[in-house]
Amino acid sequence: MLSAPTLRSVSSRRRWLAAGVAAVLVLGIAAVGYANVADVPRGVTVLGIQIGGRTRAEAADALRAGLAARSERLAKPLTVHIADENATVQPEDVGLTVDVDATIDAAAATARNPLTALASIFGRDAEVEPVVGVDGTRLMAALTPAAAKVGTAMTMPAITFAGTTPTAVHPKAGRGLDPASTADAVRAAWLRADDVTVPLTEIAPVSTTADVDRLLAELATPAVAGPVTVTTDKGTLTATPKAIAASLVIDADAEGRLTPHVDEKKLRAALSTELAKVETQPKNASVSADGGAPKVVASTGGVLVDAAQLAKDLLPVLPLGTARSVRAAMKTVEPGTTDGELAKLGIREQVSSFTTRFSGGLGTARSKNIVQIAKEVDGAIVQPGETFSLNGRTGVRGYDEGYSDAPVIMEGKLVPGVGGGASQFTTTLFNAAYYAGLKDIEHKPHSYYFSRYPAVIESTIFYPDLDLKFQNTTDHGILIDTSYTKDSITVSMWSTKVYDSVTTEYGAKRDIRQPEEKTLKAGPDCIATAGSEGFTQDAWRVLRKDGKVVQRDRFTWTYDPEPTYTCGR
């Protein structure tokens, strides 16, 4: 049993304890009220920047000012380690930023925390983590080249067609970067370190083998089981199994999710003969010099099948198998260029023209490619100040776009390649632009000299890496007109003349080197050549106006000696 003094001692301690707790609570309540005089409590910092004791707007201004003072540190590149590879990330390029508004929201929320208020009473700062944003898509694009060297790519699911036979491509997992965890690691490291390590993880396509097999059975196989009847106001068309197979695309997006669709461009190409029965093509305004003085040929509108809508409407009927039909709408299509537009742009006379020749007639694959690309460029209008891109005008030049295999230069020798001959048109177009006095933006001559082209002032092309670009630096529009015969291709520029003349002055060849003799393995890929010498040469473009030279542009190129290739046994 406790004695009376002992009981009084315990009771006394309890009273003191209760009083202390009450004092702390009162102090806490008082501190909360003290801290909450402003939106952001006193003593709150972000990256050492004092933003406390202010309204939201004032705190945001203080944070922005503090970040501006640290701009050099915020702009410092971040090194990202991925296994044995490194990638350098520029913060601005991937959208690394401090989200000021979200950070202020987080700082204001600390007002509900009594500990923050107590810290401010006792003069202690409460550090709030900045909210960091990053563009995940741009970040992954910056890191993917390095990750690809040490990781393994996923095999994306798909269904391909060989003729009208569908074949399943089953997915396989790979090793790469997980976008979410990679973005988290980069955000966390950006403001605190110069580098960060992100791990490779197993990445698998979203769609599975079962998904592929299901689409093979439910869509791809019945899709080509028979034709589809397409009805229009102008007549009836037939989409054959071959046309369906050529336009039905069953592939995956970047995450490996199967996305079946009918490709509008491929559908139009596959149905070209059928569409010609019901369509009237629009005709752009053009300039003709037939019979003497140039004149504008008026444009006309056209009526075409709405291929975009047809592609969408066709997909749902493909799983039905046989006895299928779909209705296609017709739409009025205006010409790309009207005669009124040509007149306003000052397109009234031919300002340049250039012709190159080819052999074999129009029946060879190379000649067909030259004609195909010429047709795609014919009628193009280049507005004042605009830069024309040949790759931008034609896009991919592949089998689906009407191009065939013909000799191209690959790894220093001629080999069969889709689109061979496009470089001859490129050279012809380059010279037409050159002699029109237009500004050269991008071109690259061939590695070897070919006598059918003018030395130095010629150009090759390869989609998408090599392009031909020139800028219309005049005050008038330019119409590109192309024409061909059985052995030549011509490109003419129509506009208003700016220069009296544009000519070329050549320097002497120098550093001449003779070709080597080499023997290649006989076979379909071997193309024998006579070889050519290598040399360096200058060409000056001389532009005259009002009888005076107003501009001289120097073009220089070094040709490699082309080996003399023979095909062995």
Side-chain angles (χ1 to χ4, degrees):
M1 177 179 292
L2 295 175
S3 63
T6 300
L7 289 170
R8 285 194 298 273
S9 177
V10 171
S11 177
S12 176
R13 285 198 297 272
R14 288 174 176 171
R15 287 195 299 272
W16 278 106
L17 179 60
V21 170
V24 169
L25 290 174
V26 170
L27 182 61
I29 293 170
V32 169
Y34 173 75
N36 281 341
V37 170
D39 294 328
V40 180
R42 286 179 171 82
V44 172
T45 63
V46 175
L47 299 174
I49 303 168
Q50 291 285 349
I51 64 169
R54 294 175 170 87
T55 65
R56 286 176 182 268
E58 293 169 342
D61 290 342
L63 181 55
R64 289 190 181 94
L67 293 174
R70 293 162 171 76
S71 59
E72 184 175 346
R73 174 65 184 87
L74 299 180
K76 189 175 181 180
L78 179 69
T79 300
V80 180
H81 305 290
I82 309 169
D84 296 330
E85 288 291 323
N86 297 327
T88 300
V89 171
Q90 301 290 344
E92 183 179 3
D93 292 345
V94 298
L96 274 170
T97 56
V98 174
D99 188 330
V100 172
D101 292 336
T103 301
I104 297 302
D105 288 342
T110 63
R112 296 190 294 271
N113 186 343
L115 295 179
T116 303
L118 286 173
S120 68
I121 290 294
F122 292 109
R124 296 180 180 177
D125 291 340
E127 179 71 11
V128 171
E129 288 294 309
V131 178
V132 175
V134 67
D135 187 316
T137 301
R138 287 156 59 188
L139 176 63
M140 291 301 294
L143 299 181
T144 293
K149 294 178 181 179
V150 291
T152 54
M154 296 184 288
T155 298
M156 292 299 196
I159 296 175
T160 61
F161 286 89
T164 57
T165 302
T167 301
V169 178
H170 290 136
K172 292 181 181 178
R175 286 186 61 77
L177 299 177
D178 175 67
S181 60
T182 298
D184 288 343
V186 169
R187 276 195 297 261
W190 172 43
L191 299 172
R192 292 175 174 77
D194 294 331
D195 62 353
V196 61
T197 298
V198 294
L200 292 172
T201 62
E202 182 176 284
I203 51 175
V206 173
S207 294
T208 65
T209 294
D211 295 327
V212 176
D213 291 341
R214 177 179 56 79
L215 278 175
L216 180 67
E218 297 179 2
L219 174 59
T221 300
V224 292
V228 174
T229 300
V230 181
T231 60
T232 76
D233 291 338
K234 299 289 185 178
T236 300
L237 315 176
T238 299
T240 65
K242 183 178 179 181
I244 294 169
S247 57
L248 177 58
V249 179
I250 307 176
D251 58 9
D253 61 15
E255 295 180 343
R257 182 181 293 103
L258 283 169
T259 54
H261 67 283
V262 175
D263 185 279
E264 173 194 350
K265 189 173 182 179
K266 292 180 178 180
L267 179 64
R268 177 164 282 283
L271 294 178
S272 58
T273 302
E274 290 288 295
L275 291 173
K277 299 175 181 177
V278 299
E279 291 186 331
T280 302
Q281 295 293 330
K283 292 183 179 180
N284 291 334
S286 60
V287 178
S288 173
D290 293 343
K295 61 180 180 180
V296 174
V297 179
S299 59
T300 59
V303 179
L304 304 180
V305 168
D306 188 343
Q309 189 60 48
L310 175 59
K312 294 178 182 178
D313 295 340
L314 183 60
L315 186 62
V317 308
L318 296 181
L320 303 179
T322 58
R324 302 167 297 182
S325 65
V326 65
R327 183 163 183 80
M330 306 294 293
K331 63 178 182 179
T332 301
V333 179
E334 297 299 323
T337 307
T338 66
D339 36 314
E341 289 171 329
L342 290 189
K344 291 178 182 178
L345 288 171
I347 299 174
R348 62 189 186 191
E349 58 188 329
Q350 188 180 99
V351 297
S352 71
S353 186
F354 199 82
T355 299
T356 61
R357 299 191 175 279
F358 51 81
S359 60
L362 295 176
T364 68
R366 188 175 185 277
S367 301
K368 290 179 181 178
N369 291 337
I370 293 172
V371 171
Q372 178 64 33
I373 191 171
K375 288 180 177 179
E376 294 181 31
V377 174
D378 187 42
I381 298 291
V382 187
Q383 299 283 345
E386 182 182 2
T387 294
F388 176 88
S389 162
L390 183 52
N391 279 341
R393 174 75 179 188
T394 68
V396 177
R397 294 178 292 274
Y399 301 120
D400 291 338
E401 288 71 35
Y403 292 87
S404 304
D405 283 331
V408 297
I409 297 176
M410 294 289 288
E411 298 180 351
K413 60 180 182 290
L414 285 173
V415 297
V418 63
S423 288
Q424 176 156 354
F425 176 81
T426 305
T427 287
T428 312
L429 176 61
F430 171 76
N431 274 268
Y434 173 97
Y435 284 108
L438 305 182
K439 183 179 180 180
D440 174 37
I441 300 298
E442 178 185 343
H443 86 284
K444 183 181 180 182
H446 289 79
S447 302
Y448 303 139
Y449 171 66
F450 296 100
S451 59
R452 61 177 173 266
Y453 305 144
V456 182
I457 50 174
E458 48 96 357
S459 183
T460 185
I461 195 165
F462 190 85
Y463 187 91
D465 303 310
L466 295 179
D467 198 2
L468 170 66
K469 295 180 181 179
F470 53 84
Q471 185 181 22
N472 177 7
T473 51
T474 76
D475 296 330
H476 314 286
I478 292 173
L479 169 69
I480 304 176
D481 176 62
T482 69
S483 59
Y484 59 91
T485 68
K486 61 181 178 59
D487 61 2
S488 68
I489 180 72
T490 298
V491 178
S492 302
M493 300 283 183
W494 292 80
S495 186
T496 294
K497 278 195 173 184
V498 174
Y499 302 103
D500 297 342
S501 67
V502 179
T503 58
T504 300
E505 295 177 0
Y506 277 103
K509 294 180 182 179
R510 60 185 184 274
D511 302 327
I512 298 174
R513 293 164 292 159
Q514 297 304 315
E516 299 180 52
E517 294 185 2
K518 295 185 178 182
T519 301
L520 300 174
K521 183 179 180 180
D525 290 341
C526 180
I527 300 176
T529 60
S532 62
E533 64 182 16
F535 60 91
T536 300
Q537 192 171 19
D538 300 317
W540 281 269
R541 179 171 65 170
V542 182
L543 297 92
R544 292 179 172 84
K545 188 175 182 179
D546 298 328
K548 298 179 181 179
V549 174
V550 294
Q551 188 173 324
R552 289 176 63 89
D553 301 321
R554 179 181 178 181
F555 294 80
T556 302
W557 189 248
T558 297
Y559 290 102
D560 296 327
E562 181 187 16
T564 300
Y565 286 113
T566 57
C567 298
R569 296 181 180 179

